[in-house]
């Protein structure tokens, strides 16, 4: 089985070819960092236009890398949401056009499911169910993953996502964009105990995350401490919060024998290290995808497409793009939900 995957939901344009037996034949990526850097964040309209320009040549390059033609592909998987709608539409419409032209089936992939299943691409032994900490720029959730399309959300953020907090901290500290890797680099040079920062919802009875208060505390401390100490103290606070909330979820989900972390923030060494220690302390196996598979890419979309296609799941060509698309639609809204745009 050979799947072409397309990703365009945020600021990475990507195309990949992945087989049903976990071989990544090609994965191409075009970042837009330079285009968004002057604004310190992703500008949706700029992103959408950049996806239009980048996607077609990337697909051609990926097919070339893999040495296959479009006719050898079994299905076309494209991110159909959630994300910046203009960008999502670029990838989804391209996927539909290719599916229509070749007569191959379309598999619409939830970007979050791409992250959620990506550890199964890198680790053939990762079996369901597992406890997943999904930490990215737009999301911070704990999910019990029971199978393809079977997600129970145990916790989510009531305000900012963890990656968003990294990006805002980088902006406050003038460390550049994208923020996560910049904060991690600065943190290596700083003292994580130098700045007293809050750990929102640590120890709380409710299962959720909160990072807005931490971000505000960083904003108040800017100028009073060296940027490296602030970065290190901020990162330590995030790690503490993630570990505390994940510990609670491990107790709530004894059936999950493996703790898995995915999403852009999973590329952070301190986060990975702390979660690995946590898993070990709780007698669970720990799985984290390689760094390139943590941040947005199309191999994870192709793989989620492969898992869905193998399960007989394909989609009609009139399927709409979805700016919002929860993995667990039955999960209750949390306090704070809907407050932000
Ligand atoms: O999964 P992703 O590539 O895109 C979304 O779907 O959001 O995640 C991007 C997020 C950004 O907020 C970025 O700052 C963060 O992941 N990130 C990191 C690191 N690398 C990326 N955060 C902390 N440390 C890193 N090394
Ligand atoms: Zn993502």
């Amino acid at each position: 089985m050979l799947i072409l995957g397309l990703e365009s939901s945020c600021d990475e344009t990507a195309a990949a070819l992945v087989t049903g037996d976990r071989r990544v034949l090609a994965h191409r990526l075009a970042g837009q960092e330079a285009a968004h850097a002057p604004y310190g964040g992703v500008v949706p309209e700029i992103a959408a236009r950049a996806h239009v320009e980048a996607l077609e040549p990337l697909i051609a390059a990926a097919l070339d890398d893999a040495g296959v033609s479009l006719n050898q592909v079994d299905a076309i998987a494209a991110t159909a949401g959630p994300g910046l709608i203009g960008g999502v539409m670029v990838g989804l419409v391209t996927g539909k056009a290719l599916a229509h032209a070749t007569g191959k089936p379309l598999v619409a992939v939830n970007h979050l499911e791409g992250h959620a299943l990506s550890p199964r691409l890198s680790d053939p032994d990762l079996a369901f169910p597992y406890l997943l900490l999904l930490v990215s720029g737009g999301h911070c959730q704990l999910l019990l993953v029971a199978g393809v399309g079977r997600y129970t959300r145990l916790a989510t953020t009531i305000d900012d996502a963890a990656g968003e907090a990294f990006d805002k901290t980088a902006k406050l500290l003038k460390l550049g964009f994208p923020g996560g890797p910049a904060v991690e680099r600065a943190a290596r040079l700083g003292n994580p105990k130098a700045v007293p920062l809050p750990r929102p919802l640590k120890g709380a009875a409710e299962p959720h995350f909160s990072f807005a208060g931490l971000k505000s505390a960083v904003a108040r401390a800017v100028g009073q401490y060296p940027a490296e100490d602030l970065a290190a103290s901020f990162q330590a606070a995030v790690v503490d919060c993630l570990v505390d909330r994940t510990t609670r979820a491990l107790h709530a989900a004894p059936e999950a024998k493996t703790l898995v972390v995915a999403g852009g923030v999973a590329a952070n060494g301190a986060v990975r290290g702390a979660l690995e220690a946590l898993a070990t302390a709780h007698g669970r196996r720990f799985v984290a995808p390689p760094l390139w598979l943590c941040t947005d890419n199309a191999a994870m979309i192709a793989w989620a497409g492969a898992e869905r296609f193998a399960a007989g799941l394909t989609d009609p060509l009139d399927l709409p793009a979805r700016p919002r698309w929860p993995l667990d639609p039955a999960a209750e809204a949390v306090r704070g939900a809907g407050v932000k745009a």
Side-chain angles (χ1 to χ4, degrees):
M1 188 211 303
L2 178 63
I3 309 290
L4 170 67
L6 308 178
E7 161 62 30
S8 60
S9 66
C10 190
D11 60 345
E12 312 279 0
T13 320
L17 286 145
V18 173
T19 67
D21 58 359
R22 294 182 166 81
R23 283 175 297 132
V24 180
L25 300 188
H27 87 96
R28 286 269 182 161
L29 199 90
Q32 308 174 356
E33 281 153 24
H36 300 293
Y39 307 94
V42 178
V43 183
E45 184 59 28
I46 293 175
R49 285 166 187 248
H51 288 307
V52 172
E53 285 167 15
L55 188 53
E56 214 189 304
L58 276 183
I59 296 169
L63 289 166
D64 198 46
D65 290 349
V68 299
S69 75
L70 210 46
N71 287 323
Q72 290 170 270
V73 165
D74 293 297
I76 292 152
T79 299
L84 302 172
I85 192 68
V88 173
M89 284 175 69
V90 173
L92 182 58
V93 167
T94 303
K96 286 177 179 179
L98 293 176
H100 185 68
T102 58
K104 311 284 181 180
L106 172 76
V107 183
V109 173
N110 182 318
H111 179 86
L112 301 174
E113 183 163 52
H115 281 301
L117 297 176
S118 66
R120 283 170 50 83
L121 171 57
S122 54
D123 189 330
D125 299 325
L126 177 57
F128 301 118
Y130 52 87
L131 179 66
L132 171 71
L133 173 63
L134 201 168
V135 267
S136 68
H139 299 270
C140 186
Q141 303 187 349
L142 283 156
L143 296 150
L144 187 62
V145 182
V148 176
R150 296 175 58 206
Y151 306 93
T152 306
R153 195 197 72 194
L154 304 177
T156 187
T157 179
I158 62 167
D159 41 55
D160 295 351
E164 199 179 346
F166 268 96
D167 294 332
K168 285 176 178 168
T169 294
K171 208 169 173 177
L172 287 166
L173 299 179
K174 300 195 168 46
L175 294 174
F177 174 85
V183 171
E184 182 174 17
R185 273 194 305 276
R188 278 193 210 112
L189 308 170
N191 173 3
K193 297 203 167 91
V195 189
L197 292 172
R199 271 78 174 148
L201 292 188
K202 185 174 175 185
E206 66 179 302
H208 301 302
F209 299 89
S210 168
F211 294 102
L214 174 58
K215 172 193 68 191
S216 309
V218 171
R220 285 191 296 274
V222 169
Q224 302 181 48
Y225 298 89
E228 291 76 14
D229 285 348
L230 262 166
S233 301
F234 161 80
Q235 184 172 278
V238 172
V239 167
D240 270 4
C241 293
L242 294 177
V243 166
D244 178 73
R245 308 286 70 198
T246 306
T247 304
R248 193 184 183 288
L250 282 170
H251 289 296
E255 67 271 49
K257 303 296 175 223
T258 311
L259 173 63
V260 177
V261 64
V265 182
N268 184 284
V271 169
R272 293 167 84 94
L275 292 170
E276 177 159 28
L278 176 68
T280 306
H282 282 77
R284 311 298 231 282
R285 201 162 81 84
F286 178 70
V287 172
L291 300 194
W292 71 268
L293 201 50
C294 288
T295 46
D296 286 349
N297 65 84
M300 71 180 193
I301 303 304
W303 174 252
E307 295 237 38
R308 293 188 72 82
F309 187 60
L313 302 167
T314 61
D315 294 278
L317 294 186
D318 61 354
L319 181 103
R322 298 180 63 176
R324 283 166 188 261
W325 186 2
L327 276 182
D328 177 5
E332 273 179 42
V334 292
R335 71 183 164 98
V339 172
K340 294 195 336 165

